[in-house]
Amino acid sequence: MTTKTRLIWLLLGCLSWQVHAKTGLAFIHGTGNQTDAYNDYWTGGFINNVRQGLADPNLLTVINCDFDQYMWSTQASGCLAQQLTDFIAKEGITDLKVITHSNGANVLRWILSNPTWDNRFVPLIEVISHAIAIAPSSGGTPLADAVTAGNAFESSLGWILGYKTDAVKQQQVAWMANYNASWLLGTQNRPNLPTKFEVVVGSDVDSAIWDGDSYCAGYQYQVALEVTQNWLDSCSDGFLNCSSQMAAGDVWFTDKQKTRGKEPLSHQQSRRDCFNLGSILKNRI
């Protein structure tokens, strides 16, 4: 067989796989015990925009798990693994793309990093081809330290963090440093994750009352995140420092590089269809 013939057969093989591949999409929420993440965490408008990037927009699942637990727990990674496994089996998915937000990326990374932990993990790793982590808390957040310590932050952050849950404890900066060094892949000086893992970074919070963009995803959340940003780095989304979001995987873009009007994405806005984020994701999957 000539080199030219081999190349032709290789090309035909790739085309055949593309024709027969059945691509699905999963949305994985962040911290919290969700029962209707489609409406309560993401909103249908955002999801229905992004899903149009699929060849078949019906091949979608929205995860609902108890991410108030440690990432390795049955209620967190175990629940995620089961819901993804059920979706793949039901729809015959051969290629799975996932979009995570915040702590959801840590739960996913636990699965990707620990294939022998659970017998469902390896089959998932083989099917997941692409993860997009929006504002992932890969390096933890000082706000989790503050809530766990029980200081004045506790009452002001309850709306976004919950109160001293295991997931909040897990996202303390030193705790995440330990997990990243020992249990999780994708961070500096650690092996790469077994799948493409791209990161979208939120870099600032706008809450000017005269600026209409401040009202996307709820003005009250912008005001609260503007306050908490005072205890974070100058580059942060009001909940996470940019350095934490960049700690694992590969940065795809930082908000202003691609958003409409070069608007920043606060931690609340990065799970909503603000500043054409939905269309950006739709065109990526």
Side-chain angles (χ1 to χ4, degrees), residues 6 16 33 51 63 75 78 83 85 100 102 108 119 136 138 156-158 168 177 187 242 249 251 255 267-268 275-276:
R6 283 195 294 270
S16 175
N33 187 357
R51 73 195 300 180
I63 300 302
Q75 301 97 317
Q83 290 190 20
T85 298
T100 73
S102 194
L108 178 65
N119 60 16
S138 301
S156 64
L157 290 179
V168 171
T187 53
C242 294
V251 174
D255 46 23
H267 201 69
Q268 174 75 358
F275 320 129
N276 78 318

Side-chain angles (χ1 to χ4, degrees), residues 87-187:
F87 172 61
I88 289 167
K90 178 183 177 182
E91 302 293 348
I93 301 299
T94 59
D95 173 42
L96 181 64
K97 300 177 185 295
V98 297
I99 293 175
T100 73
H101 185 258
S102 194
N103 183 47
N106 295 325
V107 182
L108 178 65
R109 273 207 298 145
W110 182 267
I111 291 175
L112 297 175
S113 302
N114 297 281
T116 62
W117 186 267
D118 186 303
N119 60 16
R120 294 167 294 188
F121 287 7
V122 168
L124 288 175
I125 292 170
E126 292 174 346
V127 175
I128 296 172
S129 65
H130 187 188
I132 298 176
I134 307 172
S137 56
S138 301
T141 174
L143 303 184
D145 293 74
V147 169
T148 302
N151 65 18
F153 274 117
E154 187 172 342
S155 59
S156 64
L157 290 179
W159 63 274
I160 194 169
L161 268 178
Y163 290 97
K164 298 183 181 179
T165 65
D166 288 342
V168 171
K169 295 176 186 175
Q170 170 200 292
Q171 291 174 85
Q172 294 175 88
V173 174
W175 286 38
M176 284 305 302
N178 179 59
Y179 301 138
N180 284 323
S182 304
W183 288 96
L184 298 174
L185 304 180
T187 53

